[in-house]
Amino acid sequence: MSVQKIKIKFYSKKLVNVVSINGLLLILIFSLNSQTNAQTPKKRIVMISLDGTPDYLIDKFLDNGVLPADGAFARMKRKGAYAETVLPINVASTGPSHISIFTGASPSKTGIVGNTFRKNDQNWSSQNLSAFKHTIAAETIFQAAMRQEKKVMTLAGVGIDNSYQNRMTNYMHVYPEISGPSLIMDLEVTDTTINQMDTEGFIKLKTATKSPSKSIFEVSGSFKMPLYFYLKDRMFNPMYLPNQPTEIFIDTDADFKNGYTASVDSESWTGMEIEKDGKKYNVSFRIFKTDEKAGKFQLFMTAPAKVFGSPNGFLEKLQSNCGFWPGEPENRKQTTGLVSEKIWFEQLDRLAKYSKNLILTGMQQEDWDLLFGYFSTLDDVQHRYTLTNPRQIDYKADNGNRPKIYADYVEKRFQKVDAYLLEIINALPTGTNLVVFSDHGMIPIHTALMLNNYFEKAGFNVSKQNITSVSSGSSAHIYINKEIIKTIDYKSYLNRLTDSLKSLKDNSTGEPIFELVANKQEQKKYGLYHQEYSGDLFVSCKAGYTISDRYLP
């Protein structure tokens, strides 16, 4: 196999029944002080973020027995310390919340005023800025530790990457960046067969004419690479046994005889890494459908994710124990029906287990003082399966049973995360403090507001680039184009816009939609205003609403 400037590895692991979780700020501190000898242990800290984990659900699940009395949360609450109240920032979103936790500073100091936002003097047609890639204007706890000559390890946690020096740490596994499309490929057998050493036979597969995806590995804006697939001919093997799993082999060139890249069977996920031009991309494969009699199969590939580790060799050391990055759950393809609910949960669970294994593997290393790990699981599952408000569109589905079905999904993943945390607690080095926290909570969403469409309909002219909104969940910064709305007109335009937003009401209830409509001066009261990045207005919805900044003419 000859692929110029490309290195490929694969890692295969059988499916296991593992579940994971996603996620107001919850803080639990637990100290492991058991000491078996006279030697003074090294003082260390492990920080773990459980994204989107509401404190009220932890309390509820501990009280009603969903979370076990001998589990991690119960143990931390019983033997550790926890915050009864906290002062969160006024943007309940992953990026700005994590950065404020890391710095102890509000968005007005960090400059991270939303998950996405704009710089006030940037070109109007240029891309929005990202909380996950932009420079931080305040010192983080990781920088402070390194400044004091402590060694910091960060493991696939948000807000830590190699985009700026002040976002880097001594040892890093950066949270991977989705770099291309996932694939769902319908494959059919051809007349081409390949025999090897008279013991194995393979049948070449082709992409069906109406396949949802072409068989092309793509990193958007960088490169495309064809993929080739071969079915293992089990009938060719004299030791053939019926009911064995279907096995498909994956290659990146047209010559199968010089070796293949990876293989996947119908009971497994397989991970694969491709390296090109010094950058590494991880994907996973899963067989969705098999019909060997008809010679038809459906194969899924996760979206290519760019992985990065530092220093040299650190990523490889983690991968040798944990495997390749498994990918995130396929939300869009599940919504459209291309990915089943079963597969979505498999993805969720694989990522949760991987996150746990990263932390356990990282703790085994010797040279660290502060370690940061991250679970996205509870955030993922609750965003999709929080169904507790009768105004939600599918609340009465399944003969009114869907809220209970969805609640079971969420509860089971809280239990799994609790079990993973207990594994981590039991593996903590002696003398280590564990700090568990979350960035925001979770409430049911019944209504999405297309804010830029509202502006256009109300005569504020999004289509003429007079104005735009940039949303972060239930809040948004609103930017007025001062090259078009001149100083002489700005005040009246802003006042009219403010009045319009304050008077916007829910058609069903007649209640105002926004909890807060704040100009620059009012934003300062809430620690939200940053001169370079905050909008002319900031809005935050009442409970039950979310904002989309998509503009659909």
Side-chain angles (χ1 to χ4, degrees):
M1 181 174 53
S2 59
V3 183
Q4 282 194 337
K5 295 185 179 179
I6 294 179
K7 297 178 184 177
I8 303 166
K9 307 172 187 174
F10 78 95
Y11 172 83
S12 179
K13 190 146 188 161
K14 292 288 182 183
L15 288 173
V16 291
N17 293 322
V18 186
V19 271
S20 64
I21 314 177
N22 307 289
L24 254 80
L25 182 62
L26 162 76
I27 298 179
L28 295 157
I29 304 174
F30 183 78
S31 180
L32 188 67
N33 290 316
S34 58
Q35 208 169 318
T36 58
N37 55 56
Q39 184 179 359
T40 302
K42 183 175 181 178
K43 294 185 180 298
R44 290 168 161 168
I45 296 175
V46 172
M47 296 169 53
I48 298 177
S49 170
L50 305 180
D51 199 319
T53 303
D55 59 337
Y56 68 87
L57 278 185
I58 297 292
D59 291 337
K60 175 184 175 181
F61 292 157
L62 285 172
D63 289 343
N64 65 15
V66 168
L67 290 173
D70 58 351
F73 285 113
R75 186 173 173 183
M76 286 187 286
K77 191 170 185 178
R78 186 170 62 250
K79 294 187 176 182
Y82 64 94
E84 293 185 338
T85 60
V86 296
L87 181 64
I89 65 169
N90 288 281
V91 186
S93 297
T94 296
S97 293
H98 272 95
I99 299 305
S100 286
I101 291 169
F102 296 160
T103 61
S106 68
S108 63
K109 303 295 185 183
T110 66
I112 308 299
V113 298
N115 268 352
T116 52
F117 52 96
R118 297 178 60 83
K119 193 172 183 180
N120 284 305
D121 61 355
Q122 76 180 74
N123 186 286
W124 197 255
S125 58
S126 60
Q127 286 189 336
N128 294 331
L129 306 175
S130 170
F132 305 104
K133 288 291 181 182
H134 197 62
T135 186
I136 304 168
E139 184 179 57
T140 67
I141 189 173
F142 310 119
Q143 289 176 282
M146 291 188 294
R147 176 168 49 78
Q148 298 172 71
E149 299 183 350
K150 302 298 182 182
K151 294 295 180 69
V152 178
M153 182 186 300
T154 51
L155 301 171
V158 294
I160 308 299
D161 54 60
N162 59 324
S163 56
Y164 290 91
Q165 189 65 36
N166 68 351
R167 297 180 81 110
M168 296 187 69
T169 59
N170 302 104
Y171 303 97
M172 300 175 63
H173 179 312
V174 172
Y175 192 92
E177 178 183 353
I178 294 177
S179 303
S182 59
L183 306 177
I184 295 179
M185 298 159 286
D186 288 337
L187 305 174
E188 301 173 344
V189 297
T190 67
D191 295 331
T192 302
T193 60
I194 301 171
N195 300 332
Q196 292 188 343
M197 301 176 64
D198 297 327
T199 59
E200 288 187 310
F202 301 89
I203 303 170
K204 187 174 183 179
L205 301 173
K206 66 177 182 180
T207 308
T209 304
K210 294 184 179 180
S211 174
S213 306
K214 296 180 180 180
S215 300
I216 297 176
F217 183 103
E218 178 182 356
V219 172
S220 302
S222 182
F223 70 93
K224 296 181 180 181
M225 180 178 65
L227 297 172
Y228 303 88
F229 303 103
Y230 302 86
L231 174 70
K232 187 171 185 177
D233 186 356
R234 295 180 295 171
M235 299 296 291
F236 186 85
N237 190 334
M239 302 298 292
Y240 164 74
L241 295 173
N243 302 319
Q244 288 184 322
T246 298
E247 193 168 7
I248 293 176
F249 290 73
I250 304 149
D251 206 354
T252 53
D253 65 16
D255 187 0
F256 184 68
K257 291 186 176 181
N258 66 6
Y260 60 89
T261 305
S263 66
V264 58
D265 66 43
S266 51
E267 297 177 354
S268 305
W269 285 87
T270 288
M272 185 175 80
E273 181 172 276
I274 290 181
E275 182 175 343
K276 183 175 173 63
D277 299 334
K279 297 178 181 178
K280 297 179 179 181
Y281 305 91
N282 288 182
V283 295
S284 292
F285 290 91
R286 179 80 161 94
I287 297 175
F288 277 6
K289 300 176 183 177
T290 63
D291 187 341
E292 294 206 28
K293 288 184 177 180
K296 296 183 178 181
F297 310 87
Q298 189 174 77
L299 183 65
F300 171 64
M301 186 191 84
T302 61
K306 183 171 69 175
V307 297
F308 175 83
S310 177
N312 290 336
F314 181 65
L315 179 63
E316 290 74 16
K317 184 181 290 187
L318 293 172
Q319 288 177 335
S320 68
N321 190 64
C322 305
F324 297 125
W325 178 256
E328 298 176 347
E330 285 281 340
N331 290 315
R332 291 185 179 180
K333 282 186 169 62
Q334 196 216 17
T335 299
T336 59
L338 289 171
V339 168
S340 69
E341 189 170 76
K342 176 180 178 293
I343 293 295
W344 190 90
F345 278 114
E346 285 183 13
Q347 290 185 286
L348 184 73
D349 298 345
R350 293 181 75 231
L351 181 53
K353 185 178 181 182
Y354 191 87
S355 300
K356 181 254 302 186
N357 286 341
L358 280 180
I359 296 169
L360 291 174
T361 302
M363 289 196 309
Q364 293 172 6
Q365 310 306 308
E366 291 293 330
D367 193 20
W368 62 273
D369 299 284
L370 172 60
L371 184 150
F372 172 55
Y374 174 75
F375 286 89
S376 67
T377 325
L378 288 173
D379 187 70
D380 292 334
V381 74
Q382 289 179 104
H383 271 302
R384 198 159 193 88
Y385 291 102
T386 297
L387 185 62
T388 57
N389 190 311
R391 289 191 63 184
Q392 291 176 276
I393 195 168
D394 52 349
Y395 186 81
K396 295 182 179 180
D398 297 326
N399 295 318
N401 292 318
R402 186 166 291 183
K404 176 62 170 64
I405 295 170
Y406 282 13
D408 287 344
Y409 292 157
V410 172
E411 289 177 6
K412 287 176 181 177
R413 274 133 190 98
F414 268 83
Q415 291 167 344
K416 180 55 66 174
V417 167
D418 186 66
Y420 283 170
L421 288 175
L422 191 57
E423 282 190 57
I424 293 167
I425 288 173
N426 289 334
L428 287 171
T430 300
T432 300
N433 284 326
L434 173 66
V435 181
V436 179
F437 62 91
S438 185
D439 53 344
H440 60 83
M442 193 69 61
I443 58 175
I445 299 297
H446 56 71
T447 302
L449 173 63
M450 306 291 289
L451 191 53
N452 282 328
N453 277 51
Y454 169 75
F455 288 152
E456 183 71 12
K457 186 176 180 181
F460 293 102
N461 297 325
V462 172
S463 60
K464 296 181 180 179
Q465 298 188 337
N466 288 13
I467 189 175
T468 192
S469 66
V470 181
S471 63
S472 298
S474 61
S475 65
H477 284 273
I478 299 165
Y479 300 86
I480 297 172
N481 189 344
K482 298 174 184 64
E483 292 184 2
I484 296 176
I485 308 300
K486 302 299 182 182
T487 303
I488 192 171
D489 301 316
Y490 174 80
K491 187 175 181 179
S492 62
Y493 185 94
L494 180 65
N495 289 340
R496 185 163 61 91
L497 178 63
T498 302
D499 291 342
S500 178
L501 291 167
K502 287 182 176 180
S503 64
L504 184 61
K505 292 181 171 59
D506 187 310
N507 289 333
S508 299
T509 66
E511 295 294 322
I513 289 176
F514 292 113
E515 185 73 32
L516 178 67
V517 179
N519 60 26
K520 293 177 181 179
Q521 288 299 318
E522 291 167 326
Q523 289 178 53
K524 293 178 181 179
K525 300 177 186 177
Y526 300 98
L528 294 169
Y529 180 69
H530 190 281
Q531 185 175 359
E532 290 186 76
Y533 304 113
S534 293
D536 298 88
L537 287 177
F538 172 84
V539 294
S540 183
C541 295
K542 291 181 178 291
Y545 300 88
T546 189
I547 299 174
S548 170
D549 55 21
R550 293 179 63 192
Y551 175 55
L552 302 175

Coordinates of all heavy atoms in Angstrom, one line a residue, residues 5-57:
K5 N 2.8 10.6 2.0 CA 2.7 11.5 3.1 C 1.6 11.1 4.0 O 1.0 12.0 4.7 CB 2.6 13.0 2.7 CG 3.8 13.5 1.9 CD 3.6 15.0 1.6 CE 4.9 15.5 1.0 NZ 4.7 17.0 0.6
I6 N 1.1 9.9 4.0 CA 0.0 9.5 4.8 C 0.4 8.3 5.6 O 0.9 7.3 5.1 CB -1.2 9.2 4.0 CG1 -1.8 10.4 3.3 CG2 -2.3 8.6 4.8 CD1 -3.0 10.2 2.5
K7 N 0.2 8.4 6.9 CA 0.5 7.2 7.8 C -0.9 6.8 8.4 O -1.7 7.6 8.7 CB 1.4 7.6 8.9 CG 2.8 8.0 8.5 CD 3.6 8.3 9.7 CE 5.0 8.8 9.3 NZ 5.8 9.2 10.5
I8 N -1.1 5.5 8.4 CA -2.4 5.0 8.8 C -2.2 3.9 9.9 O -1.4 3.0 9.8 CB -3.2 4.4 7.7 CG1 -3.4 5.5 6.6 CG2 -4.6 4.0 8.1 CD1 -3.8 5.1 5.3
K9 N -3.0 4.0 11.0 CA -3.0 3.0 12.0 C -4.5 2.6 12.3 O -5.4 3.4 12.0 CB -2.4 3.5 13.3 CG -1.0 4.1 13.1 CD -0.6 4.7 14.4 CE 0.7 5.5 14.3 NZ 1.0 6.2 15.5
F10 N -4.7 1.4 12.8 CA -6.0 1.1 13.2 C -6.1 0.4 14.6 O -5.1 -0.2 15.0 CB -6.8 0.4 12.2 CG -6.5 -1.1 12.1 CD1 -7.3 -2.0 12.8 CD2 -5.4 -1.6 11.4 CE1 -7.0 -3.4 12.8 CE2 -5.2 -2.9 11.3 CZ -6.0 -3.8 12.0
Y11 N -7.2 0.6 15.2 CA -7.4 0.0 16.6 C -8.8 -0.5 16.6 O -9.8 0.2 16.3 CB -7.2 1.1 17.6 CG -7.6 0.6 19.0 CD1 -6.7 -0.1 19.8 CD2 -8.8 0.9 19.6 CE1 -7.0 -0.5 21.1 CE2 -9.1 0.5 20.8 CZ -8.2 -0.2 21.6 OH -8.6 -0.6 22.9
S12 N -9.0 -1.8 17.0 CA -10.3 -2.4 17.0 C -10.7 -2.9 18.4 O -9.8 -3.5 19.0 CB -10.4 -3.5 16.0 OG -11.7 -4.1 16.0
K13 N -11.9 -2.6 18.8 CA -12.3 -3.1 20.1 C -13.7 -3.6 20.1 O -14.6 -3.0 19.5 CB -12.2 -1.9 21.1 CG -12.4 -2.4 22.6 CD -11.5 -1.6 23.5 CE -11.6 -2.2 24.9 NZ -10.5 -1.7 25.7
K14 N -14.0 -4.7 20.7 CA -15.3 -5.3 20.7 C -16.3 -4.4 21.4 O -15.9 -3.7 22.4 CB -15.4 -6.7 21.3 CG -14.6 -7.7 20.5 CD -15.4 -8.1 19.3 CE -14.6 -9.2 18.5 NZ -15.3 -9.5 17.3
L15 N -17.6 -4.4 21.0 CA -18.6 -3.6 21.7 C -18.8 -4.1 23.1 O -18.7 -5.3 23.4 CB -19.9 -3.7 21.0 CG -20.0 -3.1 19.6 CD1 -21.3 -3.4 19.0 CD2 -19.9 -1.6 19.8
V16 N -18.9 -3.1 24.0 CA -19.2 -3.4 25.4 C -20.4 -2.6 25.8 O -20.7 -1.6 25.3 CB -18.0 -3.1 26.3 CG1 -16.9 -4.1 26.0 CG2 -17.5 -1.7 26.1
N17 N -21.1 -3.1 26.9 CA -22.2 -2.4 27.4 C -21.8 -1.3 28.3 O -21.8 -1.5 29.5 CB -23.2 -3.3 28.0 CG -23.8 -4.3 27.0 OD1 -24.1 -3.9 25.9 ND2 -24.0 -5.5 27.4
V18 N -21.4 -0.1 27.8 CA -20.9 1.0 28.6 C -21.8 2.2 28.3 O -22.2 2.4 27.1 CB -19.5 1.3 28.3 CG1 -19.0 2.4 29.2 CG2 -18.6 0.1 28.4
V19 N -22.2 2.9 29.3 CA -23.0 4.1 29.0 C -22.3 5.3 29.6 O -21.4 5.2 30.5 CB -24.4 4.0 29.6 CG1 -25.3 3.4 28.6 CG2 -24.4 3.2 30.9
S20 N -22.6 6.5 29.1 CA -22.0 7.7 29.5 C -22.9 8.9 29.7 O -24.1 8.7 29.4 CB -20.9 8.1 28.5 OG -21.5 8.5 27.3
I21 N -22.4 10.0 30.2 CA -23.3 11.1 30.6 C -22.9 12.5 30.1 O -21.7 12.7 29.9 CB -23.4 11.1 32.1 CG1 -23.6 9.7 32.5 CG2 -24.4 12.0 32.6 CD1 -23.6 9.5 34.0
N22 N -23.8 13.4 30.1 CA -23.5 14.7 29.8 C -24.1 15.7 30.8 O -25.0 15.4 31.5 CB -24.2 15.1 28.5 CG -23.8 14.2 27.4 OD1 -22.7 14.2 27.0 ND2 -24.8 13.4 27.0
G23 N -23.7 16.8 30.6 CA -24.2 17.7 31.5 C -25.1 18.9 31.1 O -25.6 19.0 30.1
L24 N -25.4 24.8 36.0 CA -25.2 25.3 37.2 C -24.1 24.8 37.8 O -23.9 23.6 37.9 CB -26.4 25.0 38.0 CG -27.2 26.2 38.2 CD1 -28.2 26.7 37.4 CD2 -27.6 26.0 39.6
L25 N -23.7 25.2 38.3 CA -22.3 24.8 38.6 C -22.3 23.9 39.8 O -22.8 24.2 40.9 CB -21.5 26.1 38.9 CG -20.0 25.9 39.2 CD1 -19.3 25.3 38.0 CD2 -19.4 27.2 39.5
L26 N -21.7 22.8 39.7 CA -21.6 21.8 40.7 C -20.1 21.6 41.1 O -19.3 21.5 40.2 CB -22.1 20.5 40.2 CG -21.8 19.2 41.0 CD1 -22.6 19.1 42.2 CD2 -22.0 18.0 40.1
I27 N -19.8 21.8 42.3 CA -18.4 21.6 42.7 C -18.4 20.6 43.9 O -19.0 20.7 44.9 CB -17.7 22.9 43.2 CG1 -17.7 23.9 42.0 CG2 -16.3 22.6 43.7 CD1 -17.1 25.2 42.4
L28 N -17.6 19.5 43.7 CA -17.4 18.5 44.8 C -15.9 18.3 44.9 O -15.2 18.2 44.0 CB -18.0 17.2 44.4 CG -19.6 17.3 44.3 CD1 -20.1 16.2 43.4 CD2 -20.2 17.2 45.7
I29 N -15.4 18.4 46.1 CA -14.0 18.2 46.4 C -13.8 17.0 47.3 O -14.4 16.9 48.4 CB -13.4 19.5 47.1 CG1 -13.6 20.7 46.2 CG2 -11.9 19.3 47.3 CD1 -13.2 22.0 46.8
F30 N -12.9 16.1 46.9 CA -12.7 14.9 47.7 C -11.2 14.7 47.8 O -10.4 14.8 46.9 CB -13.3 13.7 47.0 CG -13.1 12.4 47.7 CD1 -14.0 12.2 48.8 CD2 -12.2 11.5 47.3 CE1 -13.9 11.0 49.5 CE2 -12.1 10.3 48.0 CZ -12.9 10.1 49.1
S31 N -10.7 14.5 49.0 CA -9.3 14.3 49.3 C -9.0 12.9 49.7 O -9.7 12.3 50.6 CB -8.8 15.2 50.4 OG -7.5 15.1 50.6
L32 N -8.1 12.2 49.0 CA -7.7 10.9 49.3 C -6.4 11.0 50.2 O -5.3 11.3 49.7 CB -7.4 10.1 48.1 CG -7.1 8.6 48.2 CD1 -8.4 7.9 48.7 CD2 -6.6 8.0 47.0
N33 N -6.6 10.8 51.5 CA -5.5 11.0 52.4 C -4.9 9.7 53.1 O -4.1 9.7 54.0 CB -5.9 11.9 53.5 CG -6.1 13.3 53.0 OD1 -5.2 13.8 52.2 ND2 -7.2 14.0 53.4
S34 N -5.5 8.6 52.6 CA -5.0 7.3 53.2 C -3.5 7.1 52.9 O -3.1 7.3 51.7 CB -5.8 6.1 52.7 OG -5.7 6.1 51.3
Q35 N -2.7 6.8 53.9 CA -1.3 6.8 53.7 C -0.8 5.5 54.3 O -1.1 5.1 55.4 CB -0.6 8.0 54.4 CG 0.7 8.4 53.8 CD 1.1 9.7 54.4 OE1 0.3 10.6 54.6 NE2 2.4 9.9 54.7
T36 N 0.0 4.7 53.5 CA 0.4 3.4 54.0 C 1.8 3.4 54.4 O 2.3 2.3 54.8 CB 0.2 2.4 52.8 OG1 0.9 2.9 51.7 CG2 -1.3 2.3 52.5
N37 N 2.5 4.5 54.3 CA 3.9 4.5 54.7 C 4.3 5.9 55.2 O 3.5 6.8 55.1 CB 4.9 4.1 53.6 CG 4.7 4.9 52.4 OD1 4.8 6.1 52.4 ND2 4.5 4.2 51.2
A38 N 5.5 6.0 55.8 CA 5.8 7.3 56.4 C 6.2 8.3 55.4 O 6.4 9.5 55.7 CB 7.0 7.0 57.4
Q39 N 6.4 7.9 54.1 CA 6.8 8.9 53.1 C 5.7 9.9 52.8 O 4.6 9.5 52.7 CB 7.2 8.1 51.8 CG 7.8 9.1 50.8 CD 8.2 8.3 49.5 OE1 8.0 7.0 49.5 NE2 8.6 8.9 48.5
T40 N 6.1 11.2 52.8 CA 5.1 12.2 52.5 C 4.7 12.1 51.0 O 5.6 12.2 50.1 CB 5.6 13.6 52.8 OG1 6.0 13.6 54.1 CG2 4.6 14.7 52.5
P41 N 3.4 11.9 50.7 CA 3.0 11.8 49.3 C 3.1 13.1 48.6 O 3.0 14.2 49.2 CB 1.6 11.3 49.4 CG 1.1 11.8 50.7 CD 2.3 11.8 51.6
K42 N 3.3 13.1 47.3 CA 3.3 14.3 46.5 C 1.8 14.8 46.4 O 0.9 14.1 46.2 CB 3.7 13.9 45.0 CG 3.8 15.1 44.1 CD 4.4 14.7 42.8 CE 4.5 15.9 41.8 NZ 5.1 15.6 40.5
K43 N 1.7 16.1 46.6 CA 0.4 16.8 46.6 C 0.0 17.0 45.2 O 0.7 17.7 44.4 CB 0.4 18.1 47.4 CG 0.6 17.8 48.9 CD 0.5 19.1 49.7 CE 0.7 18.9 51.2 NZ -0.3 17.9 51.8
R44 N -1.2 16.5 44.8 CA -1.6 16.7 43.4 C -3.1 17.0 43.4 O -3.8 16.8 44.4 CB -1.4 15.4 42.7 CG 0.0 15.1 42.4 CD 0.2 13.7 41.8 NE 1.4 13.4 41.1 CZ 1.9 12.3 40.8 NH1 1.2 11.2 41.1 NH2 3.0 12.2 40.1
I45 N -3.6 17.5 42.3 CA -5.0 17.9 42.1 C -5.5 17.3 40.8 O -4.8 17.4 39.7 CB -5.2 19.4 42.1 CG1 -4.9 20.0 43.5 CG2 -6.7 19.7 41.8 CD1 -5.0 21.5 43.6
V46 N -6.6 16.6 40.8 CA -7.3 16.2 39.6 C -8.6 17.0 39.5 O -9.4 17.0 40.4 CB -7.6 14.7 39.6 CG1 -8.5 14.3 38.4 CG2 -6.3 13.9 39.6
M47 N -8.8 17.7 38.4 CA -10.0 18.5 38.1 C -10.8 17.7 37.0 O -10.2 17.4 36.0 CB -9.7 19.9 37.6 CG -8.9 20.8 38.6 SD -8.3 22.3 37.8 CE -9.8 22.9 37.0
I48 N -12.1 17.5 37.2 CA -12.9 16.9 36.2 C -14.1 17.7 36.0 O -14.9 18.0 36.9 CB -13.3 15.4 36.6 CG1 -12.0 14.6 36.8 CG2 -14.2 14.8 35.6 CD1 -12.3 13.2 37.3
S49 N -14.4 18.1 34.7 CA -15.6 18.8 34.3 C -16.6 17.8 33.8 O -16.3 17.0 32.9 CB -15.2 19.8 33.3 OG -16.4 20.4 32.7
L50 N -17.8 17.8 34.4 CA -18.9 17.1 33.8 C -19.8 18.1 33.1 O -20.7 18.7 33.8 CB -19.7 16.4 35.0 CG -18.9 15.4 35.9 CD1 -19.7 14.8 37.0 CD2 -18.2 14.4 35.1
D51 N -19.7 18.2 31.9 CA -20.4 19.2 31.1 C -21.9 19.1 31.2 O -22.4 18.0 31.1 CB -20.0 19.1 29.6 CG -20.3 20.4 28.8 OD1 -21.3 21.0 29.0 OD2 -19.4 20.7 28.0
G52 N -22.5 20.2 31.5 CA -24.0 20.3 31.5 C -24.7 19.4 32.6 O -25.8 18.9 32.4
T53 N -24.1 19.3 33.8 CA -24.6 18.5 34.9 C -25.3 19.4 35.9 O -24.6 20.1 36.7 CB -23.5 17.7 35.5 OG1 -22.8 16.9 34.5 CG2 -24.1 16.8 36.6
P54 N -26.6 19.3 36.0 CA -27.3 20.2 37.0 C -27.2 19.7 38.4 O -27.3 18.5 38.7 CB -28.8 20.1 36.5 CG -28.8 19.4 35.2 CD -27.6 18.6 35.1
D55 N -26.9 20.6 39.3 CA -26.7 20.2 40.7 C -28.0 19.7 41.3 O -28.0 18.8 42.1 CB -26.2 21.4 41.5 CG -27.2 22.6 41.5 OD1 -27.9 22.7 40.5 OD2 -27.1 23.5 42.4
Y56 N -29.2 20.2 40.8 CA -30.4 19.8 41.4 C -30.7 18.3 41.0 O -31.4 17.6 41.7 CB -31.6 20.7 40.9 CG -32.0 20.6 39.5 CD1 -32.8 19.7 39.0 CD2 -31.4 21.5 38.6 CE1 -33.2 19.6 37.6 CE2 -31.7 21.5 37.2 CZ -32.6 20.5 36.7 OH -32.9 20.5 35.4
L57 N -30.2 17.9 39.8 CA -30.4 16.5 39.5 C -29.5 15.5 40.3 O -29.9 14.4 40.7 CB -30.1 16.3 38.0 CG -31.3 16.6 37.0 CD1 -30.9 16.2 35.6 CD2 -32.6 15.9 37.4

